[in-house]
Amino acid sequence: MALPYAEVIGDPIAHSKSPKIHGFWLKALGIEADYRATHVTPDALPAYFAARKADPDWRGCNITVPHKIAALDHVEDREDVRTTIGATNTAFRDVDGALVGTNTDAAGFAAPLKAFNLAGRPVTVIGAGGAGRAVLYALAGIGVGPVTLFNRNVDKGAALLSSFGLEGQALPIGDAVPPSALVVNATSLGMTGQPVLDLDLSALPGDAVVYDIVYAPLETALLAAARARGLATIDGLEMLIGQAAVAFERFFGTTPPRERDAELRAILLR
């Protein structure tokens, strides 16, 4: 008898740590199920979802670059993800068998920020793709002050700020970072195989937080520069584990053992 399973899809996908995270939780809880990484190209995305819909053992998938927006066309949007965050990072089989899209990135991103007082304070975000949308959605919920959004397409950036009800400005990547209480890299820049994100952090106050959602490598050039200035930092594993925990509940119907996060991080860093 085949085991129930979930997976992570993307292009590329070999770098993903999601199988280790979900595999750790499945083993810790004694759940007989599997979690795997599956390479899916953009052209193959429609066939992928058609096949999974017909597979009774499939419980869902995490969705990474470049599918977070395109996947919305292949799942039911019962949580109004399209008109709120505008991107999905998780699909799951609902109780009636339907494939439903959701977004766990926003909750995963926001969780470690609860330790900081960011309400009404200026924030800088780099990137307006699928992850950037989740970040902006979460920041709107926190009630941050003006947001400076760096993006290759400035018009797109300005439209996104407006859609989330955020005051601020959109600028091209490469402009100087203004004084900010929080700087977030919501792009793949700095990831292994990608160009380095080179930002001048000199304008940041001493209590600023620098948050890089990239987790391969965990110590990015951006975080190293922030630590060299003595600034607080949040690495990509925080968001990765946080969003995975919400998805795990959708896939397997139970809460993962977050009290073992330190053990899980040690495994992921090996």
Side-chain angles (χ1 to χ4, degrees):
M1 182 178 177
L3 290 176
Y5 71 98
E7 59 197 331
V8 58
I9 65 169
D11 180 27
I13 200 60
H15 68 282
S16 177
K17 295 183 183 294
S18 293
K20 288 185 177 180
I21 296 172
H22 289 268
F24 174 82
W25 288 335
L26 289 170
K27 183 178 180 181
L29 295 173
I31 297 174
E32 292 292 323
D34 189 22
Y35 187 98
R36 62 192 68 159
T38 302
H39 182 215
V40 178
T41 63
D43 289 345
L45 194 63
Y48 166 82
F49 278 110
R52 293 307 187 266
K53 187 173 184 179
D55 184 349
D57 296 317
W58 185 83
R59 296 292 180 268
C61 66
N62 293 113
I63 302 163
T64 188
V65 176
H67 303 313
K68 291 188 176 187
I69 297 175
L72 279 169
D73 294 332
H74 306 286
V75 295
E76 293 191 23
D77 186 16
R78 296 181 174 180
E79 300 178 10
D80 201 24
V81 174
R82 187 183 293 276
T83 58
T84 53
I85 298 178
T88 179
N89 78 321
T90 302
F92 63 97
R93 189 183 301 282
D94 212 346
V95 291
D96 60 357
L99 271 58
V100 177
T102 188
N103 193 301
T104 66
D105 274 340
F109 166 78
L113 293 177
K114 293 176 182 177
F116 304 94
N117 181 19
L118 296 171
R121 301 191 67 191
V123 170
T124 294
V125 176
I126 300 92
R133 290 168 181 263
V135 166
L136 292 172
Y137 178 83
L139 291 175
I142 292 171
V144 299
V147 175
T148 299
L149 178 59
F150 289 106
N151 196 49
R152 290 188 179 92
N153 186 325
V154 174
D155 290 340
K156 177 184 176 182
L160 272 181
L161 289 177
S162 177
S163 70
F164 289 113
L166 291 165
E167 299 291 334
Q169 61 181 339
L171 299 173
I173 294 177
D175 281 17
V177 176
S180 307
L182 171 69
V183 174
V184 182
N185 175 30
T187 74
S188 59
L189 293 173
M191 183 184 292
T192 301
Q194 298 292 324
V196 171
L197 177 59
D198 185 17
L199 295 179
D200 182 356
L201 304 179
S202 61
L204 299 186
D207 65 344
V209 183
V210 177
Y211 193 152
D212 198 334
I213 72 168
V214 169
Y215 59 85
L218 192 61
E219 175 77 353
T220 63
L222 177 62
L223 292 184
R227 289 186 180 124
R229 279 208 53 209
L231 302 177
T233 60
I234 302 173
D235 63 47
L237 284 188
E238 291 287 343
M239 179 173 175
L240 182 69
I241 294 172
Q243 64 81 26
V246 181
F248 186 88
E249 290 192 48
R250 297 297 185 98
F251 299 153
F252 303 111
T254 189
T255 303
R258 296 299 304 277
E259 69 277 4
R260 296 180 64 177
D261 273 8
E263 184 182 349
L264 175 55
R265 283 183 65 97
I267 291 172
L268 296 176
L269 292 173
R270 287 175 188 166

